[in-house]
Amino acid sequence: MTDTAALPADAVPARSRSRSFFRMANGFWKGPSAGRAWLLTIVVLAFAFAQIGAQVGINGWNRLFFDALESKDMGAVITAIGLLPLLLAAASLTMSGLVVSRMLLQVRWREWVTERLAGWWIADQRYYRLGFLDTEHKAPEFRIAEDVRIATEPLVEFAIGLLSAAVTALTFAAILWTVAGSITFEIAGRTFFIPAYMAIAAVLYAVIASLAAYYVGRALVGKVSTKNEMEAQFRAEMTRLRENAESIALIKGDADERSSVIESYGRVVTAWLAVVRRQGFLALVLNTNGALFPVVPLLLATPKFLSGELTLGGVMQVAAAFSAVQAALIWFVDNFVRLSEWYASVVRVDELSETLEELDIGTIMEDDQQITLEESDDDAIQIENLSLAHRNGRVVIDDASIRIEPGEKVLIAGESGTGKSTLIRALAGLWPWGSGRIAFPRGVRYAFLPQKPYMPRGTLKDLMLYPDGDVAVDDDVIRAAMERCGLGYMVKRLHEEDDWDRVLSGGERQRIAFCRLLIQKPAIIVMDEATAALDEGSQDSLLSMLEDELVASTVISVGHRPGLEEFHGRKITLTRRPAGAQVSSAPIRHSLWRVVRSAGRRSG
């Protein structure tokens, strides 16, 4: 990418957006996809030129047919009629071939761009880390799903249309030159001679119409871009409302949300009205041109027809050729609105690419400013000289060094805002800003339990096995885990599909997360408020697994709930300091009854 890639969106020159997009998108014609891309491109071009050839044939037929009518030559009329089905068949076949090959090229190109952008967005948890950026570029999923389509599919049509327009203009201008020839006329006693006057008139007319459309409609690009942005924000507002429906309903926030949604849609309406006003002016130019250009060639050919220099067939051929040249040369006028829509989507796609690249650049730091994730030289988890910072540089945790032995159960505590969840994200490799070293044992399986576990689509069994859905696990093992975690009442639904993300309560989600632990038995478990939605009795029942079924697992957990200390052997406390939280560690002392009870449970 260019040096402008790291600049804010409003600081990037407008033309660099399209250049950046093309640099990314033309990779379809390189590498592994190049063979298919070039084959489709060549087929499309072949059909496009064949279609122009069919148009030239029909144009010549016009002269042949109308000359036969003028001379009342029945044989020539029958011959012309006999040729017409062949010409129409050729035109239909070439048009159909062009449509099919064009659509194939559009689908494959969009597929390539979508796979590249979606893969870039999803890989290395960028979809997650993107939320840490202070950026106005929202709804990346819409940009990938919809803006990529608008940025690629019409572009194929534009390229074909522009090429066809150029070849058509040259071809039919030559016909105008040949058939209509030059014109001589007198004004105020002076004689004027204009060679190839019909071709010159067609070019001048198209230039005037194109310039008029450009100056009237050039502001449309920005207004369409604003309209698309407002539409995306409105969709995001509605999605936020749906995702937080229960919380909003419980606190009776309907009125406030209604006001917010109406205000958001009001911005959509304002943006749309700006587009409508500008399109109204542009439509005036386009409709005036549409009414004039079929008449202009007839008026220009009339003097030569009346003087006998052109036959009726010649007039019809010239009129058709003039219209073809006209349609080709005003291609820009006819596609101005679609070009505006296309460019607005190109900008949004390139903004996403720029933001993803900015995210990558932001994580590339000097060696002493980079969090190093590596394998430990023993079975312990090693955190050495770890400092974590926000993206703006403010230090959250300063110079923490922690060693966690295999099988140890560690509780991380501290005031809100001291960086406990940030530390968990760093352990998961999701927090790139900071310095120091984090080392995990080699080749061990570890699991992260967030406060709201993810529930994918599928059967209840798929949820229990996630993310190892392809691993064969006996149903009895899953049922036993569900019984142990307090989900026995759901066993009968093990093979049912449902919208689990909506159906399950917060407590049920967390119980399913513990079921996964029982089934997968990871060596390292990292929990962030993993029992916050459960009552204390249920919490104690699930956490007792750490001393029974998962006694060999290393556990790092974050939580504020009473009773958590009973299930951990060491407490790491984050203490707020102006230069970043400081870390201290101390063993947790349990009562004699607690120690005896735990030992009895393990021996039993």
Side-chain angles (χ1 to χ4, degrees):
M1 300 287 285
T2 64
D3 293 339
T4 60
L7 295 175
D10 57 357
V12 179
R15 288 182 59 191
S16 72
R17 288 295 184 197
S18 56
R19 288 201 300 269
S20 297
F21 171 78
F22 283 124
R23 276 198 297 272
M24 182 271 291
N26 68 11
F28 178 56
W29 282 268
K30 303 173 183 177
S33 61
R36 169 187 284 175
W38 282 110
L39 176 61
L40 288 172
T41 303
I42 291 170
V43 172
V44 168
L45 292 176
F47 277 115
F49 286 122
Q51 185 192 11
I52 294 172
Q55 291 176 352
V56 171
I58 292 174
N59 180 263
W61 181 89
N62 273 283
R63 179 168 188 169
L64 176 65
F65 180 72
F66 284 101
D67 279 346
L69 288 181
E70 185 180 29
S71 62
K72 298 181 175 57
D73 186 344
M74 182 57 69
V77 169
I78 293 174
T79 300
I81 293 174
L83 288 173
L84 184 59
L86 297 176
L87 291 171
L88 292 177
S92 298
L93 288 173
T94 55
M95 176 60 77
S96 298
L98 179 59
V99 169
V100 172
S101 58
R102 185 204 72 211
M103 292 178 69
L104 285 173
L105 179 58
Q106 288 171 321
V107 169
R108 293 304 184 185
W109 190 22
R110 180 189 175 189
E111 177 187 38
W112 186 91
V113 175
T114 299
E115 286 180 353
R116 186 181 188 280
L117 270 182
W120 190 7
W121 176 50
I122 295 173
D124 298 324
Q125 294 88 37
R126 290 184 185 88
Y127 59 90
Y128 174 79
R129 292 191 283 128
L130 202 62
F132 298 132
L133 289 180
D134 183 18
T135 174
E136 61 180 4
H137 308 319
K138 306 298 183 184
E141 67 281 0
F142 176 79
R143 297 179 188 231
I144 294 172
E146 185 64 15
D147 284 316
V148 166
R149 180 186 66 80
I150 299 175
T152 54
E153 289 184 358
L155 188 56
V156 175
E157 297 177 30
F158 293 156
I160 296 170
L162 189 58
L163 178 63
S164 297
V167 176
T168 299
L170 291 173
T171 302
F172 284 94
I175 292 175
L176 287 176
W177 193 324
T178 302
V179 177
S182 59
I183 190 170
T184 303
F185 57 93
E186 291 187 4
I187 298 179
R190 299 184 60 182
T191 302
F192 294 89
F193 174 78
I194 302 178
Y197 81 104
M198 288 291 282
I200 293 174
V203 172
L204 287 176
Y205 184 91
V207 168
I208 293 171
S210 298
L211 288 176
Y214 171 74
Y215 284 110
V216 171
R218 59 181 175 175
L220 191 61
V221 174
K223 297 187 184 302
V224 169
S225 180
T226 301
K227 181 263 294 181
N228 288 348
E229 189 68 32
M230 294 303 101
E231 292 274 18
Q233 289 183 14
F234 178 62
R235 280 188 295 270
E237 182 78 9
M238 300 290 281
T239 300
R240 183 191 62 78
L241 175 62
R242 175 178 56 80
E243 291 177 346
N244 297 277
E246 183 177 9
S247 299
I248 295 169
L250 288 173
I251 63 174
K252 301 188 184 305
D254 307 47
D256 185 65
E257 292 302 320
R258 185 189 306 112
S259 174
S260 178
V261 168
I262 292 174
E263 180 182 352
S264 179
Y265 187 68
R267 291 191 290 269
V268 173
V269 171
T270 300
W272 259 111
L273 291 177
V275 172
V276 169
R277 283 193 294 271
R278 185 52 56 180
Q279 281 193 329
F281 291 121
L282 184 60
L284 182 63
V285 174
L286 297 179
N287 291 333
T288 301
N289 174 67
L292 277 178
F293 88 79
V295 179
V296 171
L298 295 176
L299 295 177
L300 291 174
T302 296
K304 300 201 76 171
F305 175 72
L306 295 177
S307 67
E309 295 181 64
L310 273 180
T311 63
L312 178 60
V315 171
M316 299 308 294
Q317 184 180 20
V318 165
F322 187 96
S323 296
V325 173
Q326 191 61 209
L329 294 179
I330 63 171
W331 176 89
F332 175 77
V333 176
D334 291 338
N335 289 276
F336 193 87
V337 174
R338 294 190 67 207
L339 282 166
S340 301
E341 290 276 2
W342 167 79
Y343 184 73
S345 288
V346 163
V347 169
R348 287 173 57 79
V349 171
D350 187 62
E351 283 174 348
L352 176 59
S353 297
E354 181 186 50
T355 304
L356 290 171
E357 184 171 76
E358 181 183 348
L359 181 65
D360 291 345
I361 292 173
T363 59
I364 300 174
M365 307 176 183
E366 298 297 331
D367 289 342
D368 60 347
Q369 293 296 318
Q370 186 176 9
I371 299 175
T372 303
L373 299 175
E374 56 186 49
E375 296 178 341
S376 62
D377 50 11
D378 55 21
D379 292 332
I381 298 173
Q382 302 170 15
I383 301 174
E384 297 179 358
N385 306 118
L386 180 66
S387 293
L388 301 179
H390 285 306
R391 189 169 177 269
N392 59 13
R394 184 177 71 83
V395 177
V396 182
I397 297 176
D398 181 45
D399 197 27
S401 293
I402 306 166
R403 179 182 175 86
I404 302 174
E405 300 296 338
E408 191 175 5
K409 310 295 189 286
V410 176
L411 175 65
I412 300 176
E415 297 178 19
S416 178
T418 52
K420 300 185 295 298
S421 293
T422 304
L423 177 58
I424 294 299
R425 294 184 184 118
L427 290 173
L430 299 177
W431 193 266
W433 298 289
S435 62
R437 173 178 176 267
I438 300 174
F440 276 91
R442 178 181 304 176
V444 300
R445 182 189 183 93
Y446 54 90
F448 288 86
L449 272 65
Q451 184 173 348
K452 186 179 179 181
Y454 174 59
M455 299 292 117
R457 294 180 180 273
T459 64
L460 187 57
K461 180 177 180 179
D462 294 332
L463 266 63
M464 298 296 171
L465 298 180
Y466 184 83
D468 297 331
D470 56 345
V471 176
V473 177
D474 191 88
D475 286 359
D476 290 339
V477 174
I478 300 174
R479 292 189 184 100
M482 293 176 68
E483 294 284 354
R484 173 65 178 85
C485 296
L487 292 174
Y489 62 94
M490 297 185 70
V491 166
K492 61 184 178 181
R493 304 189 64 189
L494 188 60
H495 295 283
E496 288 186 22
E497 289 193 20
D498 204 337
D499 186 4
W500 301 112
D501 192 57
R502 180 185 58 83
V503 170
L504 297 172
S505 67
E508 288 171 330
R509 288 169 175 267
Q510 293 185 346
R511 291 177 186 274
I512 287 175
F514 276 88
C515 285
R516 293 170 181 169
L517 296 183
L518 278 182
I519 296 168
Q520 299 167 6
K521 290 188 167 49
I524 298 174
I525 302 169
V526 182
M527 301 189 296
D528 186 6
E529 303 283 0
T531 59
L534 299 168
D535 61 86
E536 288 190 28
S538 298
Q539 171 184 275
D540 291 349
S541 174
L542 291 178
L543 290 181
S544 66
M545 291 164 44
L546 304 182
E547 297 178 325
D548 300 333
E549 294 91 342
L550 300 172
V551 65
S553 298
T554 304
V555 177
I556 305 171
S557 62
V558 170
H560 301 88
R561 297 282 301 276
L564 288 177
E565 292 187 1
E566 291 189 22
F567 301 94
H568 297 81
R570 182 157 56 113
K571 186 175 183 179
I572 295 174
T573 304
L574 301 182
T575 306
R576 192 188 307 275
R577 293 285 188 274
Q582 299 296 307
V583 176
S584 60
S585 175
I588 298 174
R589 299 186 180 277
H590 299 298
S591 66
L592 180 60
W593 166 245
R594 174 75 174 78
V595 173
V596 171
R597 186 180 63 176
S598 298
R601 188 163 54 229
R602 284 196 295 270
S603 63

